[in-house]
């Protein structure tokens, strides 16, 4: 058991491709997150799920589509991406999300390095 | 708007001490986190401060002054493995995490 895992670790795709990123957490947490990390920029929160329900969507373009089939798995479906979407995509989990008023630490996966050609 | 400021890059010598500063302007405050992120790896939790003062954990310490909107991470007896980016994040009044861009720390022999 390795906490939070992400696959694939690296992905190169064309602008017309469809691909999916997968995240799995083995910590029994109730909340899961998708972040985008670009060089020299703060982490950008994309989506938050709490108990499999989406609680936050920070105005992310519709070419990114999240899915949370259960509290352990999170997907990010990608289609018709743009070159500016190239970044490191991080998944994280925490015991609760912020709507619970908690101060829980978030545990991160190693990320998927995405390159859009 | 909400803002977290950290130096972009710092350089220090093995065995020395380095202080990484973080200043914040947020809508409310409910705690401050420091994370470490090695190149190509996941950010990992280092420390959490919600009250003023210094929290010590081995070679790493974190300080918070809420009145000044200021925190620092102090790393002692630097080792080569401490070369990494250090991320500061603040929980605002809605308990949302606001992230800094991170400080890349380079350790030289």
């Amino acid at each position: 058991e390795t906490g939070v895992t992400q696959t694939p670790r690296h992905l190169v795709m064309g602008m017309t491709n469809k691909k999916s990123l997968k995240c799995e957490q083995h910590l029994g947490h109730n909340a899961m997150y998708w972040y985008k990390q670009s060089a020299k920029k703060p982490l950008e929160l994309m989506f938050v799920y709490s108990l499999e329900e989406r609680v936050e969507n920070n105005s992310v373009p519709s070419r990114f589509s999240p899915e949370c089939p259960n509290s352990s798995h999170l997907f990010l479906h990608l289609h018709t991406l743009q070159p500016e979407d190239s970044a490191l995509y991080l998944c994280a989990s925490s015991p609760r999300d912020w709507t619970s008023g908690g101060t829980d630490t978030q545990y991160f996966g190693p990320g998927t390095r995405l390159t859009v050609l | 708007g909400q803002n977290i400021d950290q130096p972009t890059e710092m350089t220090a010598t093995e065995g020395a001490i380095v202080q990484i500063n973080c200043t914040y302007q947020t809508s409310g405050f409910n705690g401050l986190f420091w994370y470490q992120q090695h190149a190509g790896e996941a950010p990992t939790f280092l420390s959490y401060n919600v009250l003023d003062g210094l929290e010590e954990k081995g070679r790493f310490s974190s300080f918070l002054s809420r009145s000044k909107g200021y925190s620092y991470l102090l790393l002692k007896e630097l080792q080569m493995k401490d070369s990494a980016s250090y991320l500061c994040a603040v929980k605002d009044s809605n308990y949302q995490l606001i992230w800094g861009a991170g400080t890349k720390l380079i350790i030289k022999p």
Side-chain angles (χ1 to χ4, degrees), chain A residues 16-88:
Chain A
T16 58
N17 292 158
K18 289 184 179 181
K19 296 287 185 183
S20 295
L21 310 184
K22 179 182 176 182
C23 174
E24 185 173 358
Q25 58 100 356
H26 309 271
L27 301 170
H29 290 168
N30 288 331
M32 296 186 77
Y33 309 77
W34 278 117
Y35 284 95
K36 177 182 179 182
Q37 187 175 37
S38 303
K40 299 185 179 179
K41 289 186 177 180
L43 288 178
E44 298 175 44
L45 180 64
M46 300 176 72
F47 301 101
V48 181
Y49 277 82
S50 179
L51 295 172
E52 302 147 49
E53 288 191 18
R54 189 190 303 180
V55 297
E56 180 75 12
N57 174 358
N58 281 346
S59 302
V60 177
S62 60
R63 57 186 183 268
F64 295 92
S65 175
E67 179 190 0
C68 188
N70 55 63
S71 60
S72 298
H73 293 85
L74 187 64
F75 294 89
L76 188 62
H77 304 299
L78 316 170
H79 64 97
T80 59
L81 294 190
Q82 304 298 312
E84 60 264 28
D85 297 323
S86 297
L88 182 68

